[in-house]
Amino acid sequence: MRVENLPSPGLLSNGIRIRIEAAKAISAVEINAGIPANAGKSSTAKPLSDFFTACAAALAGFLDVIVPTIAGRAATPSNPSRIILTYSEGLHKKNLPDVTDFAVTTQARTVTKVTIDGPFVYLDLNAPLVAGAVNVAYTQSATVSKRLQDESGNQAASFTATAVTNTIV
């Protein structure tokens, strides 16, 4: 096993050392696995497997695997040319969807700009909304880097045309 074949453990002060030691342990198991004794299986393979399983279990509590969900959709009189989508957690600001990933129906409007600020996605529209029903839909882009997602990369799901809480009178 070569160190270059292992993924980086990230920005840890001793990250390269962890990779080197893991590569050594895996190499030792690979070498010992070729020995015919014990039916060609290394006696060090199980303890190493148990060790990596324990590491994965210990780290699991630190991993964010919760998918952001849509918590609300609103249009307010303070900015009638904007729909605010509220998500269950903050979203990655650099992963901006295309304006065409959103569709505003009932009051046919075009999204001209998408902005993300924490859990809020602001959809600026080509014309102000008026009182009455408004629906908005989101379709994930084919390009992963243009999908709504949290800082851990968990992607928000697409949703079909759904009512916006419109307080514009």
Side-chain angles (χ1 to χ4, degrees):
M1 171 60 64
R2 298 183 52 84
V3 172
E4 298 81 26
N5 296 343
L6 291 173
S8 170
L11 298 174
L12 297 175
S13 60
N14 57 355
I16 189 65
R17 190 78 202 140
I18 292 170
R19 285 175 70 191
I20 290 169
E21 293 304 320
K24 284 182 191 176
I26 293 168
S27 294
V29 170
E30 289 173 344
I31 291 166
N32 290 336
I35 300 171
N38 194 19
K41 295 182 182 173
S42 169
S43 62
T44 56
K46 175 136 177 48
L48 184 61
S49 174
D50 291 346
F51 170 74
F52 285 128
T53 301
C55 286
L59 292 173
F62 296 105
L63 298 176
D64 173 11
V65 294
I66 306 298
V67 174
T69 56
I70 187 94
R73 300 162 191 81
T76 62
S78 62
N79 190 347
S81 294
R82 175 178 276 181
I83 293 175
I84 304 167
L85 305 178
T86 304
Y87 277 83
S88 58
E89 63 179 300
L91 300 174
H92 198 291
K93 290 182 179 184
K94 293 183 181 177
N95 292 51
L96 283 177
D98 292 325
V99 294
T100 55
D101 293 345
F102 296 92
V104 180
T105 57
T106 311
Q107 293 186 32
R109 301 290 189 272
T110 303
V111 176
T112 59
K113 183 179 178 185
V114 178
T115 310
I116 297 173
D117 186 16
F120 305 106
V121 178
Y122 300 105
L123 306 178
D124 291 334
L125 308 175
N126 65 329
L129 296 167
V130 295
V134 179
N135 290 327
V136 65
Y138 166 63
T139 303
Q140 284 185 341
S141 171
T143 306
V144 174
S145 64
K146 291 188 172 260
R147 294 179 183 170
L148 290 174
Q149 54 189 283
D150 65 13
E151 294 290 338
S152 298
N154 300 308
Q155 298 175 11
S158 298
F159 57 86
T160 59
T162 308
V164 172
T165 302
N166 185 358
T167 58
I168 299 169
V169 290

